[in-house]
Amino acid sequence: MPMAAFAAAFAWCANASGWPFVVAFAIATISIHRAGIFGHEVAHRTGNRRLRAFNRFWNLTVGALILVPSARFVRPHMIHHSTGKFRTKEDPQYLLLRGDRKLSVFVFVFIPPIMPIFASAITVTAAIGGIAAEEAVETFLLRRGMPTGSVLPARHKREVMLLSRYYLAFWTLYALMLPATLPLMYAIQVAAWYLVTWRIPLEHRMESRLETSHKRDQVADSFTVESPFAELLQPLALKYHTAHHMFPGVPYHNLPALHAELKATDPVYRRSVVTIRDIFRGVPEHARTADVGG
């Protein structure tokens, strides 16, 4: 459904001007963002045989548009969910954005325009020479205390290489057939990446790291934001972020019921349910961790 909405909005956007263009652009951006977030759902269920067809379809459609095979989500995101690594220096998805103004500006302002270009570059290198260049970059950054978790597990290397070749062929054909729409496609992808990065502070505290972490830390350091605006930035499982960290195997369509049950029965969970205003004012950590068990 999001892909159909994106296709219709993109076609409308390419032939519109004024306010109709703005509306079409917004729909296309929101739709491709929502479609892309399904990669997060797939990453949590890579071993589920019932999702193999969906995963393949996602990779051949959404993955081709954003130039990111679902397999690239798996390792960094599983590290982020790992007890002992979550919120430590080994967690590549826990950035100390609240205490580092330069890093915040880089992530929130400069990363989105860079990401489509970066994705194109690693697609070309993976299509032509495999992932040796990526592994060299990961090793370089790891030695400097900046793990990205981007090195692919062995079982995914061939898949990513083949998909990268498909993506390269897809975009070459696209550029030959519809060259005039390339700037529009880039602009929509950048706008979608802004939605991706702007959601980050709504999910975790991101003020300091731990030496190691326990399961309780994933509850104490996660937020579930109840707001229509947050729902725009956090579709699917991201909307109920604390519940997702407590039970990462629960599919997104079952999370509303889980959220309601936890909110009614678990006082620790209730303290993780906040508003956007709470996020920006700062939620005292001790008030949320006092009753968290071991």
Side-chain angles (χ1 to χ4, degrees):
M1 190 68 177
M3 277 300 294
F6 167 77
F10 185 80
W12 179 19
C13 201
N15 295 283
S17 60
W19 280 108
F21 173 85
V22 173
V23 172
F25 187 92
I27 294 173
T29 298
I30 293 167
S31 298
I32 197 172
H33 173 245
R34 184 178 178 85
I37 294 300
F38 273 103
H40 167 264
E41 304 297 326
V42 171
H44 278 279
R45 294 164 187 83
T46 53
N48 190 328
R49 294 184 177 182
R50 292 180 296 177
L51 289 180
R52 283 182 180 176
F54 177 83
N55 187 13
R56 190 174 296 113
F57 175 78
W58 189 95
N59 278 319
L60 294 176
T61 54
V62 183
L65 279 178
I66 65 175
L67 290 168
V68 183
S70 61
R72 290 197 181 278
F73 288 112
V74 175
R75 186 167 179 264
H77 196 63
M78 291 304 100
I79 292 173
H80 176 62
H81 275 274
S82 297
T83 298
K85 294 184 178 181
F86 169 78
R87 199 183 165 182
T88 71
K89 63 180 181 180
E90 296 182 66
D91 185 346
Q93 295 185 342
Y94 196 95
L95 306 175
L96 300 184
L97 296 173
R98 298 187 195 278
D100 191 329
R101 185 179 295 271
K102 291 182 179 178
L103 179 61
S104 299
V105 171
F106 179 68
V107 171
F108 296 142
V109 178
F110 296 108
I111 280 289
I114 291 171
M115 284 307 298
I117 300 170
F118 175 73
S120 300
I122 62 173
T123 294
V124 172
T125 58
I128 296 174
I131 63 167
E134 296 175 42
E135 292 179 336
V137 171
E138 167 74 6
T139 300
F140 174 83
L141 293 174
L142 190 60
R143 288 174 179 170
R144 285 153 181 80
M146 297 182 289
T148 66
S150 61
V151 171
L152 290 163
R155 68 184 185 278
H156 292 311
K157 290 182 179 180
R158 177 175 170 76
E159 174 192 1
V160 168
M161 183 181 68
L162 293 175
L163 283 171
S164 297
R165 291 174 179 173
Y166 162 71
Y167 294 169
L168 184 58
F170 172 89
W171 277 96
T172 300
L173 183 62
Y174 180 98
L176 291 172
M177 294 181 65
L178 299 167
T181 64
L182 284 172
L184 175 61
M185 180 67 79
Y186 172 74
I188 290 173
Q189 289 201 13
V190 169
W193 275 107
Y194 273 115
L195 295 183
V196 171
T197 57
W198 290 350
R199 77 158 214 277
I200 296 173
L202 305 183
E203 297 177 353
H204 299 293
R205 191 175 306 280
M206 296 189 169
E207 292 174 336
S208 63
R209 289 197 175 95
L210 304 172
E211 289 297 319
T212 186
S213 61
H214 304 278
K215 181 67 176 177
R216 64 178 179 266
D217 294 310
Q218 300 210 23
V219 182
D221 196 68
S222 297
F223 300 119
T224 291
V225 182
E226 292 189 324
S227 164
F229 181 70
E231 186 170 351
L232 172 66
L233 296 178
Q234 297 176 290
L236 308 180
L238 301 181
K239 180 181 176 183
Y240 304 100
H241 208 73
T242 307
H244 174 61
H245 267 266
M246 292 173 71
F247 302 98
V250 174
Y252 74 94
H253 48 80
N254 289 337
L255 282 173
L258 176 62
H259 166 71
E261 180 180 348
L262 290 171
K263 192 175 177 181
T265 61
D266 189 335
V268 176
Y269 181 81
R270 276 199 299 273
R271 282 196 292 275
S272 79
V273 181
V274 297
T275 66
I276 289 181
R277 181 178 296 180
D278 293 329
I279 294 286
F280 287 104
R281 286 189 308 188
V283 184
E285 186 163 5
H286 65 85
R288 299 178 59 244
T289 60
D291 299 334
V292 179

